[in-house]
Amino acid sequence: MSQFTVTGRFENRDGYAPFETSVDAENENVAREYVLSRLGSQHGLKRTQIELEEVDPQ
């Protein structure tokens, strides 16, 4: 497994909030799906409310 750093922003009451997180995943697509799933469940967001800007391997 590789480590990826995912950056982006998500909708909240005040507009958008930036985020940066590191995840272990098999490839870039799996990292994207994991971050969308985790942010959605933690903050009660739909995928359309999350914008992923960059996925970098480390």
Side-chain angles (χ1 to χ4, degrees):
M1 290 245 218
S2 301
Q3 183 128 8
F4 293 90
T5 300
V6 182
T7 58
R9 61 189 193 150
F10 62 91
E11 255 184 80
N12 65 11
R13 291 184 301 237
D14 303 325
Y16 281 92
F19 71 88
E20 181 175 328
T21 186
S22 295
V23 296
D24 288 327
E26 295 175 9
N27 58 45
E28 188 175 311
N29 290 334
V30 174
R32 288 177 187 272
E33 290 297 318
Y34 181 74
V35 170
L36 288 171
S37 174
R38 190 166 70 180
L39 280 175
S41 67
Q42 287 178 347
H43 297 282
L45 301 170
K46 296 182 180 177
R47 290 174 180 246
T48 58
Q49 295 174 301
I50 304 168
E51 295 178 8
L52 301 181
E53 295 171 355
E54 196 171 6
V55 180
D56 286 329
Q58 291 184 345

